[in-house]
Amino acid sequence: MEINPAEYGSRSQSSQPAATPSIEAPLSSVSSMSTLWPVLGMGNSRDTLFGRPHATHPLNNHQLTPRVYEVWQELGSTQTRFCCCGRCVTGPKIDLWYNLCAWFFILIPSGLYFAFCSQKLWNICFWLPILTGVVLVATITFLLLTSCTDPGILPRRRLRMMLPGLDEEVSNVLEMPEDLRDCASDGLTPPNLPDLRQGQGYKWCSTCQVVRPPRTSHCDDCGNCVLTFDHHCPFVNNCIGQRNYVYFSAFLISTLCLGFSVAVGTGISLSGYEPDHPQESVTRNPLLVVFLLLIGVPTAVFLLGVIALLMFHIFLLCTGKTTKEVLTGRRVLQGRSMFERPPSFIHARARVDTPLDS
């Protein structure tokens, strides 16, 4: 069969444009969110997403759009860390040794208590080791809840721009005044807040580029604005704010009960009391005495510190103040209580953007 070169060339040229629209047609329907990239300083092209190569061929939307926790380093603080696929949020790595210290003083004395004291205490009163075990589980649970719960992070402007409806949600839940809502959504230049709003406690955060509501402060350790900020606790590796203050208070109470239970059990063991053999003394075994002292002395020191901290927070609850307000001497009359727990605004598992219209 003979092939006409002219005819073959005309066919190849006429077929080329027909294949192009099938690939470029979906790409022409770019989401309206693409207009935000130049505003956020990320260039005019969507070929890259936060410095990473971005697919330019039509795929499933879930393959193109990352979740918030995956790009938090670009949209939020670089010191905040996520785990369990964004379900847990905690503080910076610099708190690691303080956090390990807290776990040490909880687990080591409790472990030695159950290893050397529980059997004898079971013969005296079996409720003592059972209650100690229950309190230990409660202490660990509240410590994890305090460490891995969003303390009340106020989303930065970049995150609000990438999640449609987030800025309106924050303004509605926090009941932001109408004259401040435009300031909170603009963020390009520091606004001049009215003197009335400044007196009520509203402030502009130049780092997060948002208007902070009353009693909200920027934590330098975590790099976030936290609602009703109390303090940053390195021992729990997180900020203590409006959303985890209840867990922190419960952690202090359970830790106090645990320390008291371990101290009482250790004291009974050191006394040498035996219901069947009251004349025998545990002090006849020097090695066991050393182990019991390793339990009692650290527990007593840790217990004194927890008592002092718990009494201080009871004082804060009675006066309606936060730790920062006491230390700085400045108190804002308006604002939310520590026990009003709003929803989390960071939406760590939400998709950042829809690059392609469906």
Side-chain angles (χ1 to χ4, degrees):
M1 184 176 86
E2 295 183 359
I3 299 176
N4 190 344
E7 180 181 0
Y8 179 77
S10 62
R11 288 180 181 179
S12 62
Q13 292 175 0
S14 61
S15 61
Q16 183 66 23
T20 304
S22 63
I23 300 178
E24 294 182 353
L27 296 179
S28 62
S29 57
V30 179
S31 171
S32 60
M33 291 297 294
S34 62
T35 58
L36 295 177
W37 295 96
V39 179
L40 297 177
M42 299 180 183
N44 297 322
S45 175
R46 292 192 55 94
D47 294 339
T48 59
L49 180 62
F50 303 113
R52 299 178 300 182
H54 189 274
T56 57
H57 51 84
L59 295 174
N60 189 303
N61 283 349
H62 292 288
Q63 296 177 334
L64 296 177
T65 57
R67 299 185 186 272
V68 170
Y69 77 91
E70 295 175 330
V71 292
W72 183 265
Q73 301 295 317
E74 289 79 16
L75 298 178
S77 171
T78 58
Q79 303 175 37
T80 302
R81 296 177 296 158
F82 290 89
C83 53
C84 299
C85 297
R87 295 177 177 87
C88 301
V89 55
T90 186
K93 295 181 179 180
I94 57 175
D95 294 341
L96 175 63
W97 292 108
Y98 295 97
N99 188 238
L100 291 178
C101 180
W103 282 104
F104 175 86
F105 279 104
I106 291 174
L107 297 179
I108 299 303
S110 299
L112 294 176
Y113 168 87
F114 284 105
F116 297 100
C117 302
S118 60
Q119 184 176 0
K120 181 178 293 186
L121 295 175
W122 185 271
N123 297 328
I124 298 174
C125 179
F126 67 92
W127 283 108
L128 289 177
I130 292 179
L131 291 177
T132 304
V134 172
V135 175
L136 175 61
V137 172
T139 302
I140 295 175
T141 301
F142 287 122
L143 175 56
L144 290 175
L145 288 174
T146 306
S147 303
C148 301
T149 300
D150 170 22
I153 297 176
L154 195 64
R156 293 191 179 188
R157 172 181 165 271
R158 302 181 91 184
L159 179 58
R160 299 190 190 191
M161 298 287 284
M162 297 306 298
L163 286 181
L166 177 59
D167 187 65
E168 182 179 359
E169 176 190 357
V170 174
S171 299
N172 292 336
V173 173
L174 300 181
E175 300 178 351
M176 297 289 289
E178 292 294 337
D179 57 339
L180 295 182
R181 297 199 177 197
D182 294 336
C183 298
S185 61
D186 182 7
L188 295 177
T189 56
N192 294 323
L193 301 182
D195 295 337
L196 175 62
R197 300 306 182 190
Q198 295 186 31
Q200 294 174 345
Y202 293 94
K203 295 182 179 179
W204 172 260
C205 179
S206 57
T207 302
C208 301
Q209 293 186 331
V210 294
V211 176
R212 297 198 303 249
R215 308 192 80 182
T216 301
S217 298
H218 188 88
C219 176
D220 294 331
D221 295 311
C222 289
N224 297 306
C225 285
V226 180
L227 298 172
T228 318
F229 177 75
D230 187 81
H231 69 286
H232 180 86
C233 182
F235 294 100
V236 301
N237 192 25
N238 206 350
C239 289
I240 306 301
Q242 192 171 1
R243 297 196 72 255
N244 65 347
Y245 187 80
V246 174
Y247 298 146
F248 179 73
S249 301
F251 166 67
L252 292 180
I253 295 175
S254 60
T255 304
L256 178 62
C257 295
L258 177 63
F260 180 77
S261 178
V262 171
V264 170
T266 304
I268 294 176
S269 299
L270 284 174
S271 66
Y273 174 76
E274 288 280 357
D276 299 328
H277 306 283
Q279 70 280 3
E280 293 185 4
S281 176
V282 72
T283 55
R284 295 180 180 180
N285 189 343
L287 183 61
L288 182 57
V289 172
V290 171
F291 276 110
L292 292 178
L293 290 176
L294 289 177
I295 302 174
V297 174
T299 302
V301 175
F302 185 67
L303 189 60
L304 291 176
V306 172
I307 292 175
L309 186 59
L310 182 60
M311 295 299 294
F312 176 70
H313 279 275
I314 292 177
F315 163 77
L316 294 179
L317 293 177
C318 294
T319 57
K321 299 180 180 179
T322 64
T323 300
K324 184 174 182 179
E325 290 173 349
V326 171
L327 296 178
T328 59
R330 296 191 300 267
R331 182 184 179 186
V332 179
L333 297 179
Q334 297 190 8
R336 293 176 174 265
S337 169
M338 295 298 295
F339 292 98
E340 297 180 26
R341 193 169 186 266
S344 176
F345 295 130
I346 57 178
H347 301 294
R349 292 186 53 79
R351 298 287 177 178
V352 173
D353 184 19
T354 305
L356 302 177
D357 291 337
S358 56

